[in-house]
Amino acid sequence: DSGATQGPRRRAAMPSLLFENHDGCGDVRLRWGDVDLQVINTLTNGFFVAAGLSIATRAVHPETKCNGVLLVAVAWFSAVYHATSAWGGFLLDIGSMAAWAAHLFATAQLACQVVGGRFCFLPRPAERAAVAAVMAACAVSAPFFGFEAFGADPVVTWNIWANSFLVLIVAAALPALLQLHVLGLLQRFLPRIIFAIGIILVGVVFTQMIHVLCVPGTF
């Protein structure tokens, strides 16, 4: 056996596969080797860290604290992606976001159950955990198979993920909002809800600006 006489072979490191979805448009970018660092996008994940730590330290319920910790994880893996612009980093990024959003869905269902609401569709913890896990897996698998199996380009792959993430957020938020309305509490939380939706819309606007300015032929 020639392999036995030659001894163990040193495997070459696989180069990073850059995932150029134009996310770094307008950013300060530093390139060396296979790494493309998006400086601003990487540093601004500090806002996620601050928000996550605020939730984790101020919340009362353990599930809410856990969601804050998951938001810190989103910041970490988003920074990993934007510090490398690699396909593997993108998968880590969306995986953490899917886990956070799926946990948000499960937490919202728990909140509906606590108030005895009609919009609690999953009263048992095992049911909530199972459905949340499946939702997160499907959300990540859609862009993965689009890119790896069907040859979608990075921009299309990102759009697949964006729509998958939107489904997760709507699934988490809609039952909770309906429950607040039924309980007559929607008006009380309306300023916070409007603020949260406004922040999301700002992100959508800037994303579309990236497509308009940096992706020829998108619009």
Side-chain angles (χ1 to χ4, degrees):
D1 187 338
S2 58
T5 58
Q6 292 176 359
R9 296 181 179 179
R10 186 184 296 271
R11 295 183 62 185
M14 185 176 68
S16 296
L17 175 62
L18 287 180
F19 187 72
E20 185 52 78
N21 66 339
H22 302 278
D23 202 29
C25 176
D27 206 327
V28 178
R29 303 178 73 165
L30 303 176
R31 293 288 300 267
W32 67 91
D34 297 316
V35 175
D36 185 358
L37 168 62
Q38 304 171 31
V39 177
I40 298 175
N41 278 338
T42 301
L43 294 178
T44 50
N45 283 290
F47 291 108
F48 283 110
V49 174
L53 290 177
S54 176
I55 295 171
T57 56
R58 296 182 181 182
V60 176
H61 197 280
E63 288 297 334
T64 310
K65 289 180 176 291
C66 181
N67 199 257
V69 173
L70 288 174
L71 195 56
V72 175
V74 169
W76 176 264
F77 288 115
S78 178
V80 168
Y81 165 54
H82 291 104
T84 60
S85 301
W87 167 237
F90 178 75
L91 290 176
L92 291 173
D93 183 14
I94 67 175
S96 64
M97 292 177 68
W100 170 80
H103 183 266
L104 184 66
F105 163 80
T107 304
Q109 282 292 296
L110 174 61
C112 289
Q113 181 191 17
V114 169
V115 297
R118 70 181 71 170
F119 297 101
C120 175
F121 308 112
L122 303 168
R124 296 176 180 152
E127 294 175 341
R128 292 193 294 269
V131 172
V134 171
M135 290 171 63
C138 290
V140 175
S141 296
F144 175 81
F145 282 111
F147 186 76
E148 292 284 357
F150 298 101
D153 63 53
V155 174
V156 172
T157 301
W158 188 93
N159 283 325
I160 294 172
W161 158 246
N163 285 284
S164 299
F165 186 68
L166 176 62
V167 170
L168 289 178
I169 294 300
V170 171
L174 188 59
L177 292 175
L178 292 173
Q179 189 60 56
L180 287 174
H181 175 70
V182 169
L183 295 174
L185 297 174
L186 187 60
Q187 192 70 26
R188 175 181 173 185
F189 294 100
L190 195 59
R192 296 184 183 183
I193 294 170
I194 293 175
F195 176 77
I197 293 175
I199 293 296
I200 294 172
L201 290 177
V202 168
V204 172
V205 168
F206 275 95
T207 299
Q208 298 309 316
M209 285 177 62
I210 289 174
H211 287 169
V212 171
L213 297 174
C214 302
V215 188
T218 301
F219 292 99

